[in-house]
Amino acid sequence: MTDYNGKTAVISGGAEGIGLSIAVALGEQGMNIVLGDIDPAQLALAEETLSKQGVPVLVLEMDVTKPQDWQRVTEQAIERFGKIHMLVNNAGVSGAPGPIEHTKHDDWRWVIDTNLMGVVYGAESVVPLIKQHGEGGWLINVASMAGMMGVPYANAYTATKVAVVGMSESWYAELKKHNIHVSVLCPAFVQTRIHLSHRNRQTQYKDDAPRSERSSGGKNQAQELVENGIPVEIVGKRVVEALNANELYIFTHPSHREITKQRAEAIDAAFARAADSPLLQDIDDQPIFSFE
Ligand SMILES: NC(=O)c1ccc[n+]([C@@H]2O[C@H](COP(=O)([O-])OP(=O)(O)OC[C@H]3O[C@@H](n4cnc5c(N)ncnc54)[C@H](O)[C@@H]3O)[C@@H](O)[C@H]2O)c1
């Protein structure tokens, strides 16, 4: 069994939802928890929840899109707990689902800055600190099943989640020799407030069009899907279970296995057609390089 006891995890977007579920599960394993989040009111509630459970906790208001916030969070985490062993890059937003021509550039920038650059800033701030103390650790990135498939009408969200899966695979190989284990969490729908991501949308990403003009009205589909998702409490426990097994990919919805299977089969069939192409018969001996 992996030894988490007395070690420290920094969790972005940890004030509620999946981040808080992971915090509770890691707290149960004896970890010190640092929660960074853009929402101070929710942070205060999360602090209360964890403190009641006897978990050593530090909550810090931050915006993951700002590298200087990461700098402050890591400094304060180390000041309080001495070392950081784990980063959970969890903060994320749903964006503004819709057809390609309706997705505003502000929507794209908001989603990319939060879901992609937030993960980059987190990793570049924390990974060197884990390398420095030499005890090893974990980097856990929260992607989505959207990272495993192209989701229609969710172009920006899908783009960032595919990127997070790709970066995780890259970092998994890169950080192995430093004894830093990388995992990427890929849930389908989970009962959180992700469909209400606009509640925390920063002013610099707000365009002029009122939100109601862009939604289809009524109870939106995303809300329905999220409400019918799995209970959020399971997710944190599942993450611990998968970390104990040193998993790279962490799945939470076994029914979605078919999606990755079909994708792999479609890619393999396309390769088979390429292999049969008369154009490519003479260039089938290109070496496959490895950066190990
Ligand atoms: N809920 C789902 O169905 C689902 C499915 C797949 C993946 N995910 C992913 O899980 C992660 C967590 O989402 P959730 O479902 O718990 O949603 P949530 O909205 O309940 O929680 C997200 C948290 O991130 C915080 N946050 C948002 N922008 C931030 C910023 N710029 N800086 C710091 N904190 C910020 C919010 O305040 C909130 O506490 C996201 O990356 C999301 O894409 C969610």
Side-chain angles (χ1 to χ4, degrees), residues 12-20 36-39 42 62-65 89-94 110 113-115 142-146 157 161 185-197 199-202 225-226 229 232 253:
S12 71
E16 63 177 287
I18 290 173
L20 182 57
D37 203 287
I38 203 166
D39 187 333
Q42 286 297 132
M62 76 174 302
D63 180 345
V64 293
T65 70
N89 268 319
N90 163 77
V93 293
S94 59
W110 174 46
D113 284 356
T114 312
N115 296 6
V142 180
S144 165
M145 274 308 293
Y157 187 77
K161 295 304 184 178
L185 173 63
C186 297
F189 291 102
V190 182
Q191 291 162 11
T192 69
R193 292 206 293 160
I194 185 84
H195 55 290
L196 301 173
S197 291
R199 70 191 185 278
N200 292 318
R201 184 164 167 152
Q202 306 92 314
L225 291 166
V226 167
V232 71
H253 292 63

Side-chain angles (χ1 to χ4, degrees), residues 81-227:
F81 294 119
K83 290 173 188 160
I84 301 172
H85 300 85
M86 181 187 289
L87 169 63
V88 184
N89 268 319
N90 163 77
V93 293
S94 59
I100 185 165
E101 64 275 26
H102 288 185
T103 311
K104 310 274 178 175
H105 289 174
D106 270 348
D107 296 326
W108 276 96
R109 288 195 303 108
W110 174 46
V111 177
I112 288 173
D113 284 356
T114 312
N115 296 6
L116 174 54
M117 294 314 296
V119 171
V120 173
Y121 299 144
E124 71 185 19
S125 308
V126 175
V127 167
L129 299 172
I130 304 179
K131 281 184 183 170
Q132 234 169 51
H133 63 58
E135 294 172 12
W138 302 262
L139 169 57
I140 301 158
N141 297 320
V142 180
S144 165
M145 274 308 293
M148 295 276 152
M149 61 190 285
V151 181
Y153 305 109
N155 42 24
Y157 187 77
T158 301
T160 58
K161 295 304 184 178
V162 169
V164 170
V165 171
M167 288 194 303
S168 303
E169 290 171 337
S170 165
W171 291 337
Y172 176 85
E174 180 183 327
L175 295 175
K176 215 186 244 179
K177 60 176 172 291
H178 298 281
N179 196 20
I180 300 175
H181 174 77
V182 178
S183 291
V184 58
L185 173 63
C186 297
F189 291 102
V190 182
Q191 291 162 11
T192 69
R193 292 206 293 160
I194 185 84
H195 55 290
L196 301 173
S197 291
H198 289 278
R199 70 191 185 278
N200 292 318
R201 184 164 167 152
Q202 306 92 314
T203 44
Q204 72 266 32
Y205 303 118
K206 283 191 175 137
D207 57 53
D208 298 334
R211 216 85 330 245
S212 55
E213 279 179 20
R214 298 208 246 137
S215 76
S216 48
K219 190 177 185 178
N220 77 37
Q221 201 193 357
Q223 180 177 354
E224 226 161 87
L225 291 166
V226 167
E227 284 173 359

